[in-house]
Amino acid sequence: MSLDTSDTTLAVSDATETAPRGPRGIQSVEVGGQLLIALAHVGRPMALKDLAREAGMVPAKAHPYLVSYGKLGLVVQDAGSGHYGLGPLALQLGLISLQQFDPVRLASAELPALAQQVGHTVAIAVWGNRGPTIVRLEEGPTAVHVNMRHGTVVSLDGTASGLLFAAHRPAVEVDTMLRAENGQTPDAAFLAVLDQVRAQGWAARVDGSMPGVSALATPVFDGFGAMVLALVAIGPSAALPVDASSPLLAPLRDAAQTISRRIGWRG
């Protein structure tokens, strides 16, 4: 008995011809690029055999790529140890990349989708010359009536974003802002709260600056590990959970980490 496969063959052929294809690249560049990715991932100079292993290739294959990268300045080899590290051109590219990515602009693009995902109003707060300052606000499906707009300076110890900045800014700045805000300096209880914020990686305030309104905030860090802004979810206290099991915490953290990585954070 014979089996007619003409229809099947035609279907497979059509599927192959119509399947979308991505842009064609140069395979050798992609292969050699694994060495640069490995150096960036490990974050320190490496011996040839260790670097090759991290990049998924044998040393004999990795060496010619490293020679070429060395001529370009992407890689340097230490004369004493023989270890390979990222070179001056890699540094220049990194600095230029950081200049091109404005964290507020990147975070602003995330706000509309984030507001829908968490179901509450979300905001971006940065550190200004008067303290934590709201620079972007995106209303969510759950309305919250607060006296807040672009440029609003919020409390350092009475808001979630304020606690985040207090936990990550230099102590002398925090002392100065607290004195200006309420005439007091940080006490033991406040410092303990900041320790907890740093340890857990997020901050919350229930009925903080305004009764009936609570907030949950996560930090965005730059390539030097400095906190550059806070992503904040704001909503009615009765409808906005702010503990560790809050369903808002994961999307806020994911968005903050995505933005952080785009501006060079490697935490």
Side-chain angles (χ1 to χ4, degrees):
M1 181 179 66
S2 62
L3 178 63
D4 185 0
T5 60
S6 59
D7 290 344
T8 303
T9 302
L10 180 59
V12 172
S13 177
D14 288 345
T16 302
E17 291 176 0
T18 59
R21 295 181 180 180
R24 183 180 179 182
I26 300 175
Q27 186 176 10
S28 61
V29 173
E30 296 174 9
V31 172
Q34 295 302 312
L35 293 164
L36 300 176
I37 293 173
L39 284 172
H41 175 72
V42 174
R44 57 176 173 77
M46 303 174 68
L48 174 60
K49 62 181 180 64
D50 297 328
L51 177 55
R53 183 179 63 249
E54 186 74 19
M57 62 181 73
V58 298
K61 181 178 180 180
H63 185 259
Y65 285 106
L66 293 172
V67 171
S68 294
Y69 290 153
K71 293 178 179 179
L72 293 172
L74 285 170
V75 168
V76 292
Q77 185 180 22
D78 182 76
S81 66
H83 289 188
Y84 292 90
L86 292 173
L89 179 57
L91 175 61
Q92 294 173 26
L93 292 173
L95 292 174
I96 292 172
S97 177
L98 288 175
Q99 294 171 6
Q100 291 178 345
F101 288 105
D102 172 21
V104 173
R105 178 177 60 82
L106 293 175
S108 297
E110 301 288 334
L111 284 195
L114 185 60
Q116 293 300 315
Q117 189 175 8
V118 302
H120 293 278
T121 296
V122 291
I124 299 170
V126 301
W127 184 261
N129 57 4
R130 296 171 56 202
T133 306
I134 301 297
V135 293
R136 295 288 188 276
L137 201 66
E138 182 75 26
E139 292 188 359
T142 301
V144 54
H145 301 289
V146 295
N147 185 22
M148 187 178 295
R149 61 186 184 278
H150 299 168
T152 297
V153 178
V154 299
S155 168
L156 195 64
D157 65 348
T159 63
S161 57
L163 287 177
L164 272 184
F165 279 110
H168 293 286
R169 298 295 300 184
V172 62
E173 290 186 0
V174 176
D175 289 352
T176 301
M177 288 297 174
L178 276 180
R179 286 196 189 97
E181 187 174 303
N182 54 32
Q184 299 179 353
T185 56
D187 57 17
F190 184 70
L191 294 177
V193 171
L194 299 188
D195 287 339
Q196 181 181 357
V197 167
R198 281 188 289 267
Q200 67 191 16
W202 53 276
R205 269 298 190 218
V206 178
D207 299 337
S209 296
M210 181 172 295
V213 176
S214 296
L216 188 66
T218 54
V220 170
F221 298 100
D222 66 13
F224 301 99
M227 180 182 164
V228 293
L229 61 87
L231 291 180
V232 195
I234 307 166
S237 298
L240 194 148
V242 295
D243 57 16
S245 62
S246 172
L248 283 66
L249 191 54
L252 280 173
R253 271 180 162 169
D254 289 345
Q257 290 178 4
T258 296
I259 299 164
S260 296
R261 291 191 180 99
R262 292 186 67 184
I263 58 175
W265 178 69
R266 297 177 57 242

